[in-house]
Amino acid sequence: MQAQFLAGGGLDAYRAADTAARMSNHGAAMCRVGLTAGADVYAKAGAMVAYDGFLQYEPVSQSFRRALGEWASGERSPLLRWTGDGALYLADMGADVLNLHLADESLSVNGAHLLAMDAALSCSVEKVRGAALLAGTGLYNATVAGTGWVSVTSRGVPVVLDCAEAETYVDPDALVAWTTGLEVRTRRTVKVGALVGRGSGEALQLGFRGSGFVVVQPSEDTADRLKIRG
């Protein structure tokens, strides 16, 4: 195969990295999951772009479907369970991918941004309550908890902000995920100057404070947070 047209030394620059990490990035927009027997992963339906080795997928169990509650109600499950021994490659419409390791932690994720998670983690769909609900981030979020890896997507390169250092304010339409247990409050900008331009997003912010972090994307996503790909 002739590959002179490829920059950076031909095909070698594009080959998958040989890594022992459970979840790793291949470029900015692809997640590589290393699978072994007994270490399954849940991945967004429709997100698989390639795999090697001996892998197979199946619908999630009824008990897991019940845990997903309203997210899966009336539709096929938004997640599939992958098993086997090999490497699974996931992507979602070219969105950037961020892989996070939870250490006995809990993460609230806007449903559309959940790409994959270790099967050892628990997952439930819960109503967004309090200040976050008033901000219009959506009625339901996926809450992922335990110790293991989770992969989320972002429209552009995200930033992870530590809320323990200082109270952090976020445009709710740019919010991807946050550590549960953070103190959340709303802040309204009442100055007329805040309405200049597109006029709405910056008028209301979510404030986060406590031991934890928030993941913010460089895009104000107003799409359905729990929509799944067909």
Side-chain angles (χ1 to χ4, degrees), residues 110-198:
N110 285 330
H113 294 282
L114 180 59
L115 181 65
M117 55 174 280
D118 279 337
L121 294 170
S122 66
C123 182
S124 61
V125 172
E126 300 176 0
K127 282 188 176 182
V128 178
R129 302 181 185 278
L133 177 61
L134 296 176
T137 56
L139 290 177
Y140 296 95
N141 263 23
T143 300
V144 180
T147 297
W149 286 90
V150 58
S151 182
V152 300
T153 59
S154 166
R155 294 179 184 270
V157 179
V159 61
V160 180
L161 300 174
D162 187 349
C163 302
E165 297 180 357
E167 187 166 14
T168 302
Y169 293 93
V170 180
D171 182 330
D173 290 329
L175 183 60
V176 172
W178 68 89
T179 307
T180 61
L182 290 173
E183 181 184 342
V184 186
R185 68 186 185 94
T186 56
R187 179 182 182 184
R188 290 189 178 274
T189 304
V190 296
K191 294 181 180 179
V192 175
L195 300 179
V196 175
R198 285 180 294 172

